[in-house]
Amino acid sequence: MAKVVFSFDDKSAKKLKNKKNILGGKGANLGEMGSLGLPVPPGFTITTDVCDLFYKNKKKLPKKVIKNIESELRNIEKKTKKKFGDLKNPLLVSVRSGARISMPGMMDTILNLGLNDKTVEALKRKTTNGRFAKDSYRRFIQMYSNVVLNVEGYLFEELIDNYKLTKGVLLDTDLDESDWDGLITNFKELVKKEKKINFPQDVKEQLLGAINAVFLSWDSQRAKTYRKLNQIPDHWGTAVNIQAMVFGNMGNDCSTGVAFTRNPSTGENSFFGEYLINAQGEDVVAGTRTPQYITKKAKQDAGSNDPSMEEAMPKVYKELAKVFLKLEKHYKDMQDIEFTVESNKLWMLQTRSGKRTAKAAIKIAVDMVKEKLISKKEAIQRIDPNTLDTLLHPTLDDKVKKEVIASGLPASPGAASGKVVFTADEAEKLNGMMQDTILVRLETSPEDIHGMHAAKGILTARGGMTSHAAVVARGMGRPCVSGSSEITIDYESKQFKAGEEIIKEGDIITIDGGSGKIMKGLVPTVQPEISGYFSTIMKWADEFRKLKVRTNAETETDSKTAREFGAEGIGLCRTEHMFFDEERILSVRQMILSRSKEDRDSALEKLLPHQKDDFKKIFNIMSGLPVTVRLLDPPLHEFLPKTDKDIDEVARSLNLAAKEVKDRIAELHEENPMLGHRGCRLGISFPEIYEMQCEAIFKALIELKKSKSKSAFVEIMIPLVSTDTELKILRELVNRTAKKIETENKIKLEYMVGTMIELPRAALQAKSISKYADFFSFGTNDLTQTTLGISRDDSGKFLNDYIDNKIFDVDPFVSIDQSGVGELVELASTRGRKVNKKLKLGICGEHGGDPKSIEFCSKTGLDYVSCSPFRVPVARLSAAQAELRK
């Protein structure tokens, strides 16, 4: 068996490759702090390999590992001149977890291990401090019983609170030795009552019980949830650190604290932290006592009267300040540090790269480049692209209390409050009256687009992270919580139920699209501030990335927003979204329900000027950049009238009886519209639709040229192609229309024709299809649906089960399925470029804004990714990181 237990000062640990993967972050850093000459209490690390052995060995430690642990324990005894379980000078240890990536608060810790009814008396004699010894023992019983024996922690807190109440005191520090003696007896009785066993007195049994508990906590529900949210693999496991105890609770010359070398909220270059005199580590983080500030400045800024550490322990504070600087210089990152002061001597218990807000991450990275601590490349790789979302959208005010009534999927970031409305029309109406609304729907459809735009936020009971509501909301920059199965919507009585809570139309709710939480009432939000630091990081990212970043946009507002965020063109302009405007929907319905070509042409004639004007605006905003216009794609049923009022209106416009219109709607009904009469199939059946759209595109270009206005370079995209013949026929249609417009205006048009690869057959037939294509754009939303045979709108019901059962690592609609869908993308790219060396390749599904998918696109050799406007900065940073990782 390879070595699996390493002391903190073990020279052989230096030879380990990927030290953090084996020793965990905490173990590796404790060893490194020791080698820097910092005061670290002696100890050892049980490696992450043992975690794997533990689970394979029916959740038991192998005997050989136990022998190694006993041997290392003897080394600590030599270094400290104390003995484990000794009745003269007992050694006490802490047992802590340590995964390779910090998972704050997710796994278990036990302090003061080695105390029992006898060693506590020895500790009292040795330190001549009975209160401290008994306080330490009660803490140990409390922690061990909770972590190892699974006795609820609040039961112990209740006993302490009741005791303090009886004695008439407020703080734990007001209790003396005899008080703790009484509570120790009560604690042991509680264990006996709850678990039918005596509290363990054998110190070796205590140690093995604690180590087992830490390994078991890797598989706890909270740790699993944290890993799922942060995409940390389950097989990594945790290490366990055993360390000699140092005591911050021996008196007023002792303390314990947690500090950051810079402010983790703002990024300001000043020490930030808290400490407590006469306390142990968990007191600072548990909130049982109010901690004091470390620096005098922080104390003054907060208006606190309690002395800062700088004032109360000036000598130790100076030493600590030097350690902060040394660690930051060594790790070249902001550090999160835990320390204890025992009898005015400083001990370092942990250092790790500190968690920080996106705002702080950007400021710290830029400042560290200016300070010549790190390079631009390192600065770019320091920032998690996904966190940029929080800088671009309003967020909830952390200082305000919130009443959470339900939760769903965090589909589109940002927070919003408003009156509940159940229809798009009502949202639009109230918006016209300057009232904020949250549109609540079972699920949204393209017909709701005006209401989604008018509402401040969107909440749906169905649909996943890439449902219609999620995709559109992200594009608009609207906060959205989708697929909240915890709410039941009743359209008839205009209310929804969340648990026992009934929310009626007009009631105010708040949604947080970043966490998926739904709250009752109005929760104040904080507006985003885009700093100069943000612009600097984006500028640096652009210097390194090769992958272009475009946006998915079809409105003036979205196009402007995306361009401001640095988009290099439009990768997907969905023309159907332009049809849902009140003025146009009637003409669209006339076109669909017409029985003759003449009627259809008449309706198309009315639509053409609208489409042309839309294109002119977008082409002008995107001047000098490419714009990929997708011709009509969705199933026609999405545009059909549903209410009697709308049916009557269409019937009148077509001089038909309402019954005839209803019959025609029934004729057009499809069992599976997503695989029905849509995309290029519409262009084959009704070429006049695509002709009108091409005419609108080309006339827009001509008018901009004539008025000497700047324009974009147009790429016309044919959707849902599965054969080369479909593309050949429709490319000819585009060219024919262009020729006609060129002849009429005596102006040469420049454009490209390509296709969206969104069907497995199209990917497999890329070689023949590429003969008629100037570009391929991978529509990975539909390609994922058609490859996996999973409907993205219905997958929310079972995808979590698939992730829990490790069938998928991550939702394939959020991050591209690299081994399935990804293989089709790679194959189509290779086959397409074999025939057409100049074939331009891009991706325009939701995956275009996902960092992992962007890295895949970069490796595959795509030319660009396209994403919603508010994801453009995320994609720019991700593309730079992907290039630097190559």
Side-chain angles (χ1 to χ4, degrees), residues 622-848:
M622 287 290 165
S623 62
L625 298 172
V627 171
T628 305
V629 179
R630 181 179 73 185
L631 299 183
L632 192 65
D633 178 42
L636 294 179
H637 80 96
E638 287 195 3
F639 301 99
L640 293 176
K642 292 177 178 63
T643 65
D644 287 342
K645 182 183 162 226
D646 289 342
I647 290 168
D648 289 341
E649 193 181 4
V650 176
R652 275 197 305 278
S653 72
L654 287 169
N655 289 322
L656 294 170
K659 187 185 179 300
E660 280 184 78
V661 172
K662 283 180 181 172
D663 291 344
R664 181 83 177 112
I665 290 168
E667 275 173 40
L668 289 166
H669 170 77
E670 292 181 308
E671 291 302 330
N672 192 347
M674 290 315 288
L675 297 177
H677 201 181
R678 59 169 281 220
C680 66
R681 297 157 198 172
L682 288 173
I684 299 288
S685 299
F686 308 117
E688 54 273 25
I689 297 176
Y690 277 13
E691 280 167 3
M692 179 278 287
Q693 290 196 296
C694 291
E695 203 172 316
I697 291 166
F698 295 136
K699 282 185 172 173
L701 287 173
I702 295 280
E703 286 184 19
L704 285 168
K705 269 194 175 186
K706 282 182 176 174
S707 66
K708 295 193 167 51
S709 299
K710 288 183 175 179
S711 180
F713 178 77
V714 173
E715 302 172 348
I716 294 173
M717 181 154 72
I718 314 294
L720 214 74
V721 158
S722 63
T723 71
D724 57 348
T725 314
E726 286 167 319
L727 188 56
K728 180 173 183 277
I729 292 168
L730 294 170
R731 186 182 180 107
E732 283 166 4
L733 178 150
V734 176
N735 291 341
R736 225 176 23 249
T737 311
K739 201 92 192 128
K740 180 185 144 213
I741 304 291
E742 283 177 335
T743 309
E744 284 170 8
N745 293 277
K746 297 183 175 56
I747 291 176
K748 181 85 179 125
L749 288 165
E750 281 184 39
Y751 61 94
M752 280 183 171
V753 180
T755 185
M756 198 181 225
I757 304 287
E758 49 195 323
L759 295 171
R761 191 183 194 279
L764 296 169
Q765 291 298 305
K767 200 172 171 185
S768 58
I769 290 170
S770 65
K771 287 186 286 190
Y772 305 105
D774 300 317
F775 66 88
F776 281 172
S777 178
F778 293 96
T780 50
N781 293 350
D782 274 359
L783 190 57
T784 299
Q785 292 197 99
T786 53
T787 302
L788 297 177
I790 293 175
S791 153
R792 70 176 183 184
D793 290 328
D794 301 308
S795 61
K797 294 168 193 161
F798 60 84
L799 266 184
N800 274 341
D801 301 330
Y802 268 53
I803 291 163
D804 290 344
N805 284 290
K806 299 181 178 60
I807 298 167
F808 294 144
D809 289 332
V810 66
D811 182 337
F813 292 106
V814 171
S815 202
I816 198 164
D817 159 38
Q818 295 190 20
S819 54
V821 176
E823 194 172 333
L824 286 172
V825 171
E826 286 178 298
L827 184 133
S829 301
T830 309
R831 288 185 181 176
R833 277 191 172 154
K834 250 184 191 166
V835 173
N836 181 352
K837 300 244 181 321
K838 289 181 181 171
L839 188 71
K840 198 189 280 191
L841 300 171
I843 183 173
C844 64
E846 279 298 291
H847 297 113

Side-chain angles (χ1 to χ4, degrees), residues 321-450:
K322 281 180 190 166
V323 169
F324 285 174
L325 297 172
K326 193 170 194 173
L327 286 173
E328 195 171 270
K329 202 172 174 188
H330 176 76
Y331 285 104
K332 299 182 177 186
D333 196 7
M334 182 261 273
Q335 293 298 292
D336 169 1
I337 292 158
E338 286 177 27
F339 63 88
T340 284
V341 178
E342 179 182 301
S343 309
N344 283 320
K345 175 163 173 53
L346 176 68
W347 292 98
M348 303 307 296
L349 303 182
Q350 172 165 300
T351 189
R352 59 188 175 197
S353 286
K355 301 276 177 201
R356 63 206 79 178
T357 64
K359 182 183 173 184
I362 287 172
K363 179 168 165 42
I364 290 168
V366 173
D367 284 347
M368 284 186 169
V369 172
K370 287 177 186 168
E371 292 159 25
K372 296 191 166 50
L373 206 56
I374 60 173
S375 66
K376 284 184 191 178
K377 286 181 181 179
E378 286 171 299
I380 286 163
Q381 286 172 303
R382 283 276 164 91
I383 296 152
D384 177 358
N386 281 318
T387 62
L388 295 184
D389 266 338
T390 59
L391 294 177
L392 310 174
H393 299 276
T395 49
L396 292 178
D397 189 342
D398 286 338
K399 300 179 187 92
V400 177
K401 204 178 170 197
K402 304 161 189 78
E403 191 185 338
V404 177
I405 54 170
S407 61
L409 299 169
S412 179
S417 302
K419 289 182 174 179
V420 168
V421 293
F422 294 98
T423 67
D425 290 343
E426 188 64 15
E428 195 170 49
K429 183 180 135 194
L430 290 183
N431 186 49
M433 295 157 69
M434 310 300 284
Q435 292 184 35
D436 294 345
T437 60
I438 303 291
L439 178 62
V440 181
R441 306 282 294 154
L442 281 170
E443 58 201 347
T444 60
S445 78
E447 273 194 42
D448 294 321
I449 210 103
H450 60 295

Side-chain angles (χ1 to χ4, degrees), residues 485-500:
S485 51
E486 294 174 22
I487 67 167
T488 312
I489 299 172
D490 184 345
Y491 284 147
E492 237 171 80
S493 53
K494 293 187 177 177
Q495 62 181 42
F496 75 83
K497 208 173 173 194
E500 294 304 306

Side-chain angles (χ1 to χ4, degrees), residues 116-158:
N116 58 25
D117 293 350
K118 291 177 179 170
T119 55
V120 72
E121 295 302 331
L123 184 66
K124 173 184 167 177
R125 287 191 297 275
K126 183 73 188 166
T127 59
T128 64
N129 189 337
R131 190 204 171 277
F132 150 70
K134 300 299 166 71
D135 178 33
S136 300
Y137 189 25
R138 71 88 192 173
R139 286 169 184 273
F140 171 58
I141 297 172
Q142 210 171 333
M143 286 182 108
Y144 192 92
S145 303
N146 179 230
V147 170
V148 183
L149 307 176
N150 296 313
V151 180
E152 291 288 355
Y154 75 87
L155 295 170
F156 296 100
E157 288 301 334
E158 274 180 5

Side-chain angles (χ1 to χ4, degrees), residues 4-39:
V4 290
V5 181
F6 290 83
S7 72
F8 295 159
D9 56 1
D10 195 320
K11 302 274 189 292
S12 67
K14 286 181 180 173
K15 294 172 191 166
L16 291 173
K17 282 182 186 172
N18 301 323
K19 227 192 293 185
K20 280 189 179 175
N21 296 3
I22 297 161
L23 302 174
K26 192 174 288 179
N29 289 342
L30 282 165
E32 219 158 313
M33 280 200 291
S35 67
L36 288 171
L38 300 181

Side-chain angles (χ1 to χ4, degrees), residues 517-530:
K517 298 272 186 289
I518 302 149
M519 288 142 280
K520 194 177 174 183
L522 188 139
V523 179
T525 55
V526 180
Q527 285 308 310
E529 292 171 44
I530 294 182

